[in-house]
Amino acid sequence: MDVNAAVAAAAAIAGVLTGVIAVLAFRWSEREQKRPTRTSLHTDPVLPPGVDTVLSVLRSSAVVLDEADAVVKASSAAYALGLVRGGKLSVEPMLRMARDTRRDGEIRQVELDLPRRGTGRGEALAVSARVAPLGSRLVLLLVEDLTEARRIEAVRRDFVANVSHELKTPVGALSLLSEAVMGASDDPEAVERFAGRMQIEATRLTNLVQELIDLSRVQNDDPLEDAEPVRVDELVAEAIDRCRHQAGAKNITMAAGGTADLHVWGNRGQLAAALGNLVENAVNYSPARTRVGIAARRLNAPGGDMIEVAVTDQGIGISERDKERVFERFYRVDPARSRATGGTGLGLAIVKHVVASHGGEVTVWSAEGQGSTFTLRLPEAGVARDRALQHPDLDDPDGSDDLDGLGEEPGRHTASTPPSRPSSSYEPHPAPEVLP
């Protein structure tokens, strides 16, 4: 009995000791977990409250860097511009700015030209980068894409330069001719000759100013606000009547044909001006005793029927190089001929914008010495009207900001150049009816 009691007492003592040791170990473990360690002092930084929400609504590309230059937060626009790669800021000048700002806390801003990645184009990406401290350990980088703004500004400068040059020419000519008239006051024949030249230059100046006004109007106004069904044959007859005098002076035959009773939906005045400009160009650039044809027809298209109006001439034609630029403002295939005929270089630009604002397109086929064919394709009246009613807020169908009506970058236009001239699409129909 004494032995058994001793064994039981020893077991009880061992159990008590084990329990005490377990409690001490548990308390020590809790204390160690609460004690800050070296790794816990360098945990990942957390954005201040509300910063994440603000960054998500900014238009600028946003990147937040920690004290090790690692990216804590980056917007999708920053990835799209190629600013962030592999969790790091990939633009070295911006990285240096971030380090300097982290060191002294000063806000920095700089404009940079960055190479485009993955586009295959050599043009640079213009950006404005602004770096500011965000709390005690983070740095915020905001990047604004200035590429489009710079392009627009460059086009504005070119436009102003072109307008100044075009206005200077007739104004200078009028000044010189007026001096010549004063100097030849005793010579009636010379006065009459100089006065005739003055009338020509004054007409040219008036046409230039009017076309500038027309170009601004067609780019700033919504042509579908007062849209109505417009008969194509009436537009053709109006365009022919507009150029009848010039065509008669050169013995040029103007003929119209094609499908009758076609309608388009839009602003009658703008559509008449666009087609009239094409017919006027065809007459001005055609030699004497040739033919200008206007043909209209309906085309079946997946999105609805289109009305096609083709203006064909037998003029000097357009080279491959010039076809890419004929829709630019003030661009002339033959400057000498344009000045002789009173051309301003704005007619085709007006045509392009009128057609684009009506949901259509303009194309050109041409070969040097063989003539040219300009083709307008516009939605038929019913299709265009339904489209306008379904999408009343679409006032810029071609998706082009068009620089507030001031200019256009070379090579950026909606025209295309088919490789050949199929007779069914571009030639007037046989034995066309000659409008009175």
Side-chain angles (χ1 to χ4, degrees), residues 159-160 162-164 166-167 205-220 329-330 344-347 350 405-406:
F159 180 82
V160 171
N162 286 332
V163 170
S164 301
E166 294 297 330
L167 290 174
L205 181 60
T206 302
N207 292 339
L208 176 58
V209 173
Q210 184 59 50
E211 291 205 344
L212 285 171
I213 295 173
D214 293 341
L215 181 60
S216 177
R217 182 181 296 115
V218 300
Q219 292 180 161
N220 294 329
R329 294 157 180 79
F330 298 111
T344 63
L346 292 173
I350 293 174
L406 289 183

PDB file of all heavy atoms in Angstrom, residues 159-160 162-164 166-167 205-220 329-330 344-347 350 405-406:
ATOM      1  N   PHE A 159      -2.574  75.337 -89.602  1.00  0.00           N
ATOM      2  CA  PHE A 159      -3.780  75.911 -90.212  1.00  0.00           C
ATOM      3  C   PHE A 159      -3.700  77.432 -90.247  1.00  0.00           C
ATOM      4  O   PHE A 159      -4.011  78.068 -91.258  1.00  0.00           O
ATOM      5  CB  PHE A 159      -5.011  75.459 -89.427  1.00  0.00           C
ATOM      6  CG  PHE A 159      -6.294  76.003 -89.974  1.00  0.00           C
ATOM      7  CD1 PHE A 159      -6.912  75.403 -91.055  1.00  0.00           C
ATOM      8  CD2 PHE A 159      -6.889  77.123 -89.417  1.00  0.00           C
ATOM      9  CE1 PHE A 159      -8.098  75.899 -91.562  1.00  0.00           C
ATOM     10  CE2 PHE A 159      -8.071  77.630 -89.915  1.00  0.00           C
ATOM     11  CZ  PHE A 159      -8.675  77.010 -90.992  1.00  0.00           C
ATOM     12  N   VAL A 160      -3.292  78.024 -89.129  1.00  0.00           N
ATOM     13  CA  VAL A 160      -3.176  79.483 -89.082  1.00  0.00           C
ATOM     14  C   VAL A 160      -2.152  79.966 -90.105  1.00  0.00           C
ATOM     15  O   VAL A 160      -2.359  80.973 -90.795  1.00  0.00           O
ATOM     16  CB  VAL A 160      -2.808  79.943 -87.664  1.00  0.00           C
ATOM     17  CG1 VAL A 160      -2.478  81.428 -87.641  1.00  0.00           C
ATOM     18  CG2 VAL A 160      -3.944  79.649 -86.697  1.00  0.00           C
ATOM     19  N   ASN A 162      -1.322  78.452 -92.890  1.00  0.00           N
ATOM     20  CA  ASN A 162      -1.887  78.294 -94.233  1.00  0.00           C
ATOM     21  C   ASN A 162      -2.911  79.378 -94.547  1.00  0.00           C
ATOM     22  O   ASN A 162      -2.929  79.943 -95.646  1.00  0.00           O
ATOM     23  CB  ASN A 162      -2.543  76.918 -94.356  1.00  0.00           C
ATOM     24  CG  ASN A 162      -1.522  75.804 -94.469  1.00  0.00           C
ATOM     25  OD1 ASN A 162      -0.424  76.023 -94.947  1.00  0.00           O
ATOM     26  ND2 ASN A 162      -1.893  74.622 -94.009  1.00  0.00           N
ATOM     27  N   VAL A 163      -3.784  79.667 -93.578  1.00  0.00           N
ATOM     28  CA  VAL A 163      -4.788  80.697 -93.799  1.00  0.00           C
ATOM     29  C   VAL A 163      -4.124  82.049 -94.031  1.00  0.00           C
ATOM     30  O   VAL A 163      -4.510  82.813 -94.926  1.00  0.00           O
ATOM     31  CB  VAL A 163      -5.763  80.774 -92.605  1.00  0.00           C
ATOM     32  CG1 VAL A 163      -6.655  81.994 -92.711  1.00  0.00           C
ATOM     33  CG2 VAL A 163      -6.617  79.516 -92.552  1.00  0.00           C
ATOM     34  N   SER A 164      -3.099  82.339 -93.225  1.00  0.00           N
ATOM     35  CA  SER A 164      -2.393  83.613 -93.382  1.00  0.00           C
ATOM     36  C   SER A 164      -1.784  83.723 -94.769  1.00  0.00           C
ATOM     37  O   SER A 164      -1.852  84.779 -95.420  1.00  0.00           O
ATOM     38  CB  SER A 164      -1.315  83.748 -92.310  1.00  0.00           C
ATOM     39  OG  SER A 164      -1.875  83.682 -91.015  1.00  0.00           O
ATOM     40  N   GLU A 166      -2.708  82.074 -97.531  1.00  0.00           N
ATOM     41  CA  GLU A 166      -3.741  82.139 -98.564  1.00  0.00           C
ATOM     42  C   GLU A 166      -4.403  83.515 -98.598  1.00  0.00           C
ATOM     43  O   GLU A 166      -4.749  84.010 -99.675  1.00  0.00           O
ATOM     44  CB  GLU A 166      -4.787  81.052 -98.327  1.00  0.00           C
ATOM     45  CG  GLU A 166      -4.265  79.634 -98.489  1.00  0.00           C
ATOM     46  CD  GLU A 166      -3.787  79.351 -99.900  1.00  0.00           C
ATOM     47  OE1 GLU A 166      -4.324  79.949-100.842  1.00  0.00           O
ATOM     48  OE2 GLU A 166      -2.866  78.528-100.057  1.00  0.00           O
ATOM     49  N   LEU A 167      -4.601  84.125 -97.453  1.00  0.00           N
ATOM     50  CA  LEU A 167      -5.199  85.462 -97.437  1.00  0.00           C
ATOM     51  C   LEU A 167      -4.214  86.522 -97.902  1.00  0.00           C
ATOM     52  O   LEU A 167      -4.604  87.528 -98.513  1.00  0.00           O
ATOM     53  CB  LEU A 167      -5.684  85.803 -96.025  1.00  0.00           C
ATOM     54  CG  LEU A 167      -6.890  85.021 -95.516  1.00  0.00           C
ATOM     55  CD1 LEU A 167      -7.157  85.368 -94.057  1.00  0.00           C
ATOM     56  CD2 LEU A 167      -8.125  85.312 -96.357  1.00  0.00           C
ATOM     57  N   LEU A 205     -10.596  86.229-103.050  1.00  0.00           N
ATOM     58  CA  LEU A 205     -10.585  86.485-101.614  1.00  0.00           C
ATOM     59  C   LEU A 205     -11.955  86.211-101.005  1.00  0.00           C
ATOM     60  O   LEU A 205     -12.062  85.612 -99.925  1.00  0.00           O
ATOM     61  CB  LEU A 205     -10.166  87.932-101.363  1.00  0.00           C
ATOM     62  CG  LEU A 205     -10.064  88.384 -99.901  1.00  0.00           C
ATOM     63  CD1 LEU A 205      -9.043  87.546 -99.153  1.00  0.00           C
ATOM     64  CD2 LEU A 205      -9.706  89.864 -99.833  1.00  0.00           C
ATOM     65  N   THR A 206     -13.012  86.635-101.687  1.00  0.00           N
ATOM     66  CA  THR A 206     -14.369  86.381-101.194  1.00  0.00           C
ATOM     67  C   THR A 206     -14.657  84.888-101.110  1.00  0.00           C
ATOM     68  O   THR A 206     -15.230  84.408-100.125  1.00  0.00           O
ATOM     69  CB  THR A 206     -15.394  87.059-102.109  1.00  0.00           C
ATOM     70  OG1 THR A 206     -15.134  88.470-102.162  1.00  0.00           O
ATOM     71  CG2 THR A 206     -16.806  86.821-101.619  1.00  0.00           C
ATOM     72  N   ASN A 207     -14.252  84.145-102.142  1.00  0.00           N
ATOM     73  CA  ASN A 207     -14.475  82.696-102.138  1.00  0.00           C
ATOM     74  C   ASN A 207     -13.722  82.020-101.004  1.00  0.00           C
ATOM     75  O   ASN A 207     -14.233  81.083-100.357  1.00  0.00           O
ATOM     76  CB  ASN A 207     -14.053  82.091-103.476  1.00  0.00           C
ATOM     77  CG  ASN A 207     -14.948  82.531-104.613  1.00  0.00           C
ATOM     78  OD1 ASN A 207     -16.090  82.957-104.398  1.00  0.00           O
ATOM     79  ND2 ASN A 207     -14.443  82.449-105.834  1.00  0.00           N
ATOM     80  N   LEU A 208     -12.494  82.452-100.754  1.00  0.00           N
ATOM     81  CA  LEU A 208     -11.694  81.863 -99.687  1.00  0.00           C
ATOM     82  C   LEU A 208     -12.347  82.088 -98.326  1.00  0.00           C
ATOM     83  O   LEU A 208     -12.489  81.156 -97.522  1.00  0.00           O
ATOM     84  CB  LEU A 208     -10.285  82.450 -99.699  1.00  0.00           C
ATOM     85  CG  LEU A 208      -9.344  82.011 -98.567  1.00  0.00           C
ATOM     86  CD1 LEU A 208      -9.181  80.496 -98.560  1.00  0.00           C
ATOM     87  CD2 LEU A 208      -8.000  82.698 -98.695  1.00  0.00           C
ATOM     88  N   VAL A 209     -12.765  83.311 -98.066  1.00  0.00           N
ATOM     89  CA  VAL A 209     -13.414  83.611 -96.789  1.00  0.00           C
ATOM     90  C   VAL A 209     -14.714  82.826 -96.644  1.00  0.00           C
ATOM     91  O   VAL A 209     -15.021  82.273 -95.582  1.00  0.00           O
ATOM     92  CB  VAL A 209     -13.662  85.127 -96.663  1.00  0.00           C
ATOM     93  CG1 VAL A 209     -14.492  85.433 -95.430  1.00  0.00           C
ATOM     94  CG2 VAL A 209     -12.344  85.877 -96.613  1.00  0.00           C
ATOM     95  N   GLN A 210     -15.489  82.739 -97.729  1.00  0.00           N
ATOM     96  CA  GLN A 210     -16.755  82.013 -97.668  1.00  0.00           C
ATOM     97  C   GLN A 210     -16.526  80.529 -97.402  1.00  0.00           C
ATOM     98  O   GLN A 210     -17.254  79.908 -96.620  1.00  0.00           O
ATOM     99  CB  GLN A 210     -17.530  82.204 -98.976  1.00  0.00           C
ATOM    100  CG  GLN A 210     -18.906  81.556 -98.973  1.00  0.00           C
ATOM    101  CD  GLN A 210     -19.797  82.088 -97.871  1.00  0.00           C
ATOM    102  OE1 GLN A 210     -19.935  83.293 -97.706  1.00  0.00           O
ATOM    103  NE2 GLN A 210     -20.395  81.190 -97.096  1.00  0.00           N
ATOM    104  N   GLU A 211     -15.506  79.945 -98.025  1.00  0.00           N
ATOM    105  CA  GLU A 211     -15.250  78.527 -97.802  1.00  0.00           C
ATOM    106  C   GLU A 211     -14.712  78.271 -96.403  1.00  0.00           C
ATOM    107  O   GLU A 211     -14.969  77.217 -95.818  1.00  0.00           O
ATOM    108  CB  GLU A 211     -14.294  77.989 -98.862  1.00  0.00           C
ATOM    109  CG  GLU A 211     -14.915  77.923-100.245  1.00  0.00           C
ATOM    110  CD  GLU A 211     -14.263  76.882-101.127  1.00  0.00           C
ATOM    111  OE1 GLU A 211     -13.140  76.433-100.788  1.00  0.00           O
ATOM    112  OE2 GLU A 211     -14.863  76.523-102.142  1.00  0.00           O
ATOM    113  N   LEU A 212     -13.970  79.207 -95.844  1.00  0.00           N
ATOM    114  CA  LEU A 212     -13.564  79.075 -94.450  1.00  0.00           C
ATOM    115  C   LEU A 212     -14.784  79.078 -93.539  1.00  0.00           C
ATOM    116  O   LEU A 212     -14.863  78.294 -92.580  1.00  0.00           O
ATOM    117  CB  LEU A 212     -12.611  80.213 -94.065  1.00  0.00           C
ATOM    118  CG  LEU A 212     -11.185  80.117 -94.599  1.00  0.00           C
ATOM    119  CD1 LEU A 212     -10.432  81.412 -94.323  1.00  0.00           C
ATOM    120  CD2 LEU A 212     -10.459  78.936 -93.963  1.00  0.00           C
ATOM    121  N   ILE A 213     -15.725  79.947 -93.817  1.00  0.00           N
ATOM    122  CA  ILE A 213     -16.964  79.987 -93.037  1.00  0.00           C
ATOM    123  C   ILE A 213     -17.739  78.681 -93.212  1.00  0.00           C
ATOM    124  O   ILE A 213     -18.245  78.100 -92.236  1.00  0.00           O
ATOM    125  CB  ILE A 213     -17.820  81.197 -93.455  1.00  0.00           C
ATOM    126  CG1 ILE A 213     -17.100  82.500 -93.092  1.00  0.00           C
ATOM    127  CG2 ILE A 213     -19.192  81.139 -92.793  1.00  0.00           C
ATOM    128  CD1 ILE A 213     -17.788  83.743 -93.626  1.00  0.00           C
ATOM    129  N   ASP A 214     -17.834  78.190 -94.451  1.00  0.00           N
ATOM    130  CA  ASP A 214     -18.556  76.939 -94.703  1.00  0.00           C
ATOM    131  C   ASP A 214     -17.897  75.773 -93.984  1.00  0.00           C
ATOM    132  O   ASP A 214     -18.584  74.914 -93.406  1.00  0.00           O
ATOM    133  CB  ASP A 214     -18.613  76.662 -96.207  1.00  0.00           C
ATOM    134  CG  ASP A 214     -19.467  77.667 -96.947  1.00  0.00           C
ATOM    135  OD1 ASP A 214     -20.290  78.346 -96.289  1.00  0.00           O
ATOM    136  OD2 ASP A 214     -19.306  77.787 -98.183  1.00  0.00           O
ATOM    137  N   LEU A 215     -16.561  75.716 -94.012  1.00  0.00           N
ATOM    138  CA  LEU A 215     -15.854  74.625 -93.363  1.00  0.00           C
ATOM    139  C   LEU A 215     -16.090  74.652 -91.858  1.00  0.00           C
ATOM    140  O   LEU A 215     -16.326  73.616 -91.235  1.00  0.00           O
ATOM    141  CB  LEU A 215     -14.354  74.724 -93.660  1.00  0.00           C
ATOM    142  CG  LEU A 215     -13.465  73.627 -93.054  1.00  0.00           C
ATOM    143  CD1 LEU A 215     -13.883  72.268 -93.571  1.00  0.00           C
ATOM    144  CD2 LEU A 215     -12.009  73.889 -93.364  1.00  0.00           C
ATOM    145  N   SER A 216     -16.033  75.831 -91.269  1.00  0.00           N
ATOM    146  CA  SER A 216     -16.301  75.939 -89.835  1.00  0.00           C
ATOM    147  C   SER A 216     -17.724  75.528 -89.511  1.00  0.00           C
ATOM    148  O   SER A 216     -17.979  74.851 -88.510  1.00  0.00           O
ATOM    149  CB  SER A 216     -16.048  77.375 -89.369  1.00  0.00           C
ATOM    150  OG  SER A 216     -16.357  77.539 -88.010  1.00  0.00           O
ATOM    151  N   ARG A 217     -18.664  75.891 -90.373  1.00  0.00           N
ATOM    152  CA  ARG A 217     -20.076  75.585 -90.118  1.00  0.00           C
ATOM    153  C   ARG A 217     -20.335  74.083 -90.193  1.00  0.00           C
ATOM    154  O   ARG A 217     -21.009  73.520 -89.323  1.00  0.00           O
ATOM    155  CB  ARG A 217     -20.962  76.323 -91.108  1.00  0.00           C
ATOM    156  CG  ARG A 217     -22.457  76.085 -90.885  1.00  0.00           C
ATOM    157  CD  ARG A 217     -23.303  76.817 -91.896  1.00  0.00           C
ATOM    158  NE  ARG A 217     -23.150  78.258 -91.769  1.00  0.00           N
ATOM    159  CZ  ARG A 217     -22.619  79.038 -92.709  1.00  0.00           C
ATOM    160  NH1 ARG A 217     -22.190  78.502 -93.845  1.00  0.00           N
ATOM    161  NH2 ARG A 217     -22.513  80.338 -92.524  1.00  0.00           N
ATOM    162  N   VAL A 218     -19.807  73.419 -91.209  1.00  0.00           N
ATOM    163  CA  VAL A 218     -20.106  71.995 -91.358  1.00  0.00           C
ATOM    164  C   VAL A 218     -19.434  71.173 -90.267  1.00  0.00           C
ATOM    165  O   VAL A 218     -19.877  70.062 -89.964  1.00  0.00           O
ATOM    166  CB  VAL A 218     -19.667  71.474 -92.747  1.00  0.00           C
ATOM    167  CG1 VAL A 218     -20.383  72.215 -93.847  1.00  0.00           C
ATOM    168  CG2 VAL A 218     -18.154  71.547 -92.932  1.00  0.00           C
ATOM    169  N   GLN A 219     -18.370  71.679 -89.663  1.00  0.00           N
ATOM    170  CA  GLN A 219     -17.702  70.933 -88.607  1.00  0.00           C
ATOM    171  C   GLN A 219     -18.320  71.191 -87.241  1.00  0.00           C
ATOM    172  O   GLN A 219     -18.235  70.339 -86.355  1.00  0.00           O
ATOM    173  CB  GLN A 219     -16.213  71.286 -88.573  1.00  0.00           C
ATOM    174  CG  GLN A 219     -15.475  70.798 -89.789  1.00  0.00           C
ATOM    175  CD  GLN A 219     -14.013  71.150 -89.762  1.00  0.00           C
ATOM    176  OE1 GLN A 219     -13.207  70.565 -90.459  1.00  0.00           O
ATOM    177  NE2 GLN A 219     -13.639  72.117 -88.952  1.00  0.00           N
ATOM    178  N   ASN A 220     -18.932  72.333 -87.040  1.00  0.00           N
ATOM    179  CA  ASN A 220     -19.461  72.677 -85.722  1.00  0.00           C
ATOM    180  C   ASN A 220     -20.951  72.444 -85.596  1.00  0.00           C
ATOM    181  O   ASN A 220     -21.459  72.348 -84.487  1.00  0.00           O
ATOM    182  CB  ASN A 220     -19.145  74.143 -85.399  1.00  0.00           C
ATOM    183  CG  ASN A 220     -17.662  74.389 -85.255  1.00  0.00           C
ATOM    184  OD1 ASN A 220     -16.919  73.513 -84.837  1.00  0.00           O
ATOM    185  ND2 ASN A 220     -17.219  75.589 -85.614  1.00  0.00           N
ATOM    186  N   ARG A 329      -6.789  70.244 -95.843  1.00  0.00           N
ATOM    187  CA  ARG A 329      -7.099  71.637 -96.103  1.00  0.00           C
ATOM    188  C   ARG A 329      -5.938  72.331 -96.811  1.00  0.00           C
ATOM    189  O   ARG A 329      -4.782  72.167 -96.419  1.00  0.00           O
ATOM    190  CB  ARG A 329      -7.410  72.370 -94.801  1.00  0.00           C
ATOM    191  CG  ARG A 329      -8.673  71.865 -94.137  1.00  0.00           C
ATOM    192  CD  ARG A 329      -8.642  72.187 -92.662  1.00  0.00           C
ATOM    193  NE  ARG A 329      -9.843  71.708 -92.009  1.00  0.00           N
ATOM    194  CZ  ARG A 329     -10.043  70.446 -91.665  1.00  0.00           C
ATOM    195  NH1 ARG A 329      -9.123  69.539 -91.915  1.00  0.00           N
ATOM    196  NH2 ARG A 329     -11.159  70.079 -91.078  1.00  0.00           N
ATOM    197  N   PHE A 330      -6.269  73.103 -97.823  1.00  0.00           N
ATOM    198  CA  PHE A 330      -5.335  73.928 -98.589  1.00  0.00           C
ATOM    199  C   PHE A 330      -4.361  73.104 -99.428  1.00  0.00           C
ATOM    200  O   PHE A 330      -3.450  73.668-100.022  1.00  0.00           O
ATOM    201  CB  PHE A 330      -4.543  74.879 -97.669  1.00  0.00           C
ATOM    202  CG  PHE A 330      -5.390  75.852 -96.927  1.00  0.00           C
ATOM    203  CD1 PHE A 330      -5.546  75.758 -95.563  1.00  0.00           C
ATOM    204  CD2 PHE A 330      -6.063  76.857 -97.599  1.00  0.00           C
ATOM    205  CE1 PHE A 330      -6.347  76.647 -94.867  1.00  0.00           C
ATOM    206  CE2 PHE A 330      -6.856  77.754 -96.918  1.00  0.00           C
ATOM    207  CZ  PHE A 330      -6.995  77.648 -95.550  1.00  0.00           C
ATOM    208  N   THR A 344      -9.425  77.209-103.783  1.00  0.00           N
ATOM    209  CA  THR A 344      -8.913  77.582-102.465  1.00  0.00           C
ATOM    210  C   THR A 344      -8.261  76.419-101.737  1.00  0.00           C
ATOM    211  O   THR A 344      -7.597  76.624-100.723  1.00  0.00           O
ATOM    212  CB  THR A 344     -10.064  78.098-101.588  1.00  0.00           C
ATOM    213  OG1 THR A 344     -11.022  77.045-101.392  1.00  0.00           O
ATOM    214  CG2 THR A 344     -10.736  79.292-102.229  1.00  0.00           C
ATOM    215  N   GLY A 345      -8.462  75.197-102.200  1.00  0.00           N
ATOM    216  CA  GLY A 345      -7.910  74.049-101.496  1.00  0.00           C
ATOM    217  C   GLY A 345      -8.762  73.591-100.325  1.00  0.00           C
ATOM    218  O   GLY A 345      -8.324  72.749 -99.543  1.00  0.00           O
ATOM    219  N   LEU A 346      -9.979  74.117-100.196  1.00  0.00           N
ATOM    220  CA  LEU A 346     -10.858  73.741 -99.091  1.00  0.00           C
ATOM    221  C   LEU A 346     -12.060  72.919 -99.536  1.00  0.00           C
ATOM    222  O   LEU A 346     -12.787  72.392 -98.694  1.00  0.00           O
ATOM    223  CB  LEU A 346     -11.355  74.992 -98.359  1.00  0.00           C
ATOM    224  CG  LEU A 346     -10.308  75.791 -97.591  1.00  0.00           C
ATOM    225  CD1 LEU A 346     -10.921  77.088 -97.066  1.00  0.00           C
ATOM    226  CD2 LEU A 346      -9.750  74.973 -96.446  1.00  0.00           C
ATOM    227  N   GLY A 347     -12.301  72.826-100.832  1.00  0.00           N
ATOM    228  CA  GLY A 347     -13.513  72.165-101.320  1.00  0.00           C
ATOM    229  C   GLY A 347     -13.625  70.720-100.895  1.00  0.00           C
ATOM    230  O   GLY A 347     -14.665  70.284-100.392  1.00  0.00           O
ATOM    231  N   ILE A 350     -14.304  70.238 -97.184  1.00  0.00           N
ATOM    232  CA  ILE A 350     -15.724  70.422 -96.871  1.00  0.00           C
ATOM    233  C   ILE A 350     -16.520  69.174 -97.247  1.00  0.00           C
ATOM    234  O   ILE A 350     -17.389  68.714 -96.497  1.00  0.00           O
ATOM    235  CB  ILE A 350     -16.260  71.662 -97.601  1.00  0.00           C
ATOM    236  CG1 ILE A 350     -15.600  72.932 -97.040  1.00  0.00           C
ATOM    237  CG2 ILE A 350     -17.778  71.753 -97.488  1.00  0.00           C
ATOM    238  CD1 ILE A 350     -15.964  74.193 -97.784  1.00  0.00           C
ATOM    239  N   GLY A 405     -12.536  72.336 -85.807  1.00  0.00           N
ATOM    240  CA  GLY A 405     -12.711  72.972 -87.107  1.00  0.00           C
ATOM    241  C   GLY A 405     -11.533  73.773 -87.568  1.00  0.00           C
ATOM    242  O   GLY A 405     -11.648  74.571 -88.478  1.00  0.00           O
ATOM    243  N   LEU A 406     -10.354  73.546 -86.979  1.00  0.00           N
ATOM    244  CA  LEU A 406      -9.231  74.407 -87.336  1.00  0.00           C
ATOM    245  C   LEU A 406      -8.203  73.734 -88.223  1.00  0.00           C
ATOM    246  O   LEU A 406      -7.463  74.391 -88.918  1.00  0.00           O
ATOM    247  CB  LEU A 406      -8.541  74.897 -86.057  1.00  0.00           C
ATOM    248  CG  LEU A 406      -9.356  75.907 -85.260  1.00  0.00           C
ATOM    249  CD1 LEU A 406      -8.550  76.363 -84.076  1.00  0.00           C
ATOM    250  CD2 LEU A 406      -9.734  77.087 -86.112  1.00  0.00           C
TER     251      LEU A 406
END
